[in-house]
Amino acid sequence: MRIGLFVPCYVDAFEPEVGIATLELLERFGLTVEYPFDQTCCGQPMTNTGCHQEAAATEALFVKNFSGFDYIVAPSGSCVHQVREHLTAIPQTDAVKHVRSRTFELVEFLHDVLKIEDLPWAEFPHKVAYHSNCNALRGIGHARPTELNQPFFSKPLNLLKKVKGVQIVDLTRPDECCGFGGTFSVFEPAVSAKMGYDKVTDQARAGAEYVVSADSSCLMHQKGCAERLGVGLKYIHIAQVLNGAAA
């Protein structure tokens, strides 16, 4: 199985250790993983601001980089949702359709495709609150949103429970947006910050030591909110935990 690793812009710029953990984790399962060096953005910032046609060149480059792989895997639910649902500024050729259908977020790839049952190298003896990114939750089906009357399921929690020592704490509003929302945090900074403060307060009230998520963008926003509030929470991407991060 040949895997193309897509590392989102903000991970590459601010948290490259998340991309490294994703690579190492995939290689632990004996996969052939390649990183196309001329990859750039998936086009989400342009689409979010209503400038979808301006994303055409970016989308075309994404397809050029990744069309030859069996699967494309990324440590970001929001970027994967963009590729699967909104990569439409370019003609829908067979190559484009292949890339859109074969792009997976890391958690769903491990859970749904590889069907991982054991992570013997991973140990994280801490109280953990899990943050569900909105696009990962409702866009690509990471878990059951609380507004739906359906049986509970959570792919990220299923994986975290395979990590030795992890203790999951329950949040009052587990799938409420943290306020980052991509360009929303730029155009509505005051509302975004207040939502982030509410989220951080809920995490601290639950007794969490660490907050884990599948999206670095949300974690960066919440970390900034926690620092401004003086709350001693730590934030870490799920790829790092599953890969055996020492805390």
Side-chain angles (χ1 to χ4, degrees):
M1 188 184 295
R2 188 163 169 254
I3 308 299
L5 174 63
F6 172 55
V7 176
C9 312
Y10 53 87
V11 172
D12 182 53
F14 298 109
E15 293 192 333
E17 62 274 12
V18 173
I20 294 170
T22 302
L23 171 64
E24 292 177 345
L25 182 58
L26 291 172
E27 289 182 335
R28 285 183 186 273
F29 298 108
L31 301 173
T32 299
V33 185
E34 299 178 35
Y35 176 85
F37 284 104
D38 57 345
Q39 64 177 272
T40 58
C41 180
C42 65
Q44 183 177 190
M46 289 81 87
T47 301
N48 279 355
T49 52
C51 302
H52 196 179
Q53 287 306 312
E54 286 78 356
T58 301
E59 293 182 6
L61 180 60
F62 188 95
V63 173
K64 178 182 177 182
N65 279 320
F66 291 106
S67 61
F69 294 99
D70 298 314
Y71 290 95
I72 302 97
V73 179
S76 166
S78 59
C79 290
V80 167
H81 182 253
Q82 165 69 21
V83 173
R84 289 222 291 251
E85 301 297 329
H86 302 298
L87 204 77
T88 56
I90 54 178
Q92 297 300 293
T93 63
D94 288 342
V96 173
K97 292 176 182 177
H98 171 80
V99 166
R100 291 180 65 185
S101 66
R102 305 296 277 187
T103 298
F104 282 75
E105 182 275 330
L106 177 64
V107 165
E108 61 172 359
F109 182 73
L110 297 175
H111 189 278
D112 297 347
V113 179
L114 296 186
K115 301 185 186 301
I116 297 304
E117 293 295 336
D118 193 24
L119 299 161
W121 53 79
E123 182 174 356
F124 201 73
H126 299 284
K127 292 182 178 180
V128 167
Y130 186 79
H131 170 70
S132 293
N133 165 276
C134 297
N135 279 323
L137 177 69
R138 297 180 176 86
I140 62 175
H142 255 201
R144 184 209 68 184
T146 54
E147 69 269 15
L148 297 183
N149 185 21
Q150 296 177 350
F152 176 81
F153 75 95
S154 173
K155 298 173 187 179
L157 290 184
N158 284 348
L159 291 176
L160 282 174
K161 289 174 182 178
K162 301 180 191 303
V163 176
K164 184 179 179 181
V166 165
Q167 181 180 343
I168 307 295
V169 301
D170 295 325
L171 298 176
T172 304
R173 300 191 297 271
D175 58 3
E176 185 175 279
C177 179
C178 70
F180 175 70
T183 53
F184 172 78
S185 60
V186 176
F187 295 117
E188 297 288 348
V191 178
S192 172
K194 181 60 171 68
M195 293 171 72
Y197 295 157
D198 287 348
K199 177 62 71 172
V200 168
T201 300
D202 192 18
Q203 294 161 352
R205 186 186 300 118
E209 300 171 68
Y210 280 82
V211 177
V212 177
S213 180
D215 275 78
S216 291
S217 53
C218 295
L219 291 175
M220 287 191 291
H221 175 63
Q222 292 170 48
K223 181 179 180 181
C225 291
E227 289 175 350
R228 287 191 290 275
L229 289 174
V231 176
L233 286 167
K234 299 177 182 179
Y235 293 82
I236 187 170
H237 195 282
I238 193 171
Q240 295 167 278
V241 177
L242 300 181
N243 191 44

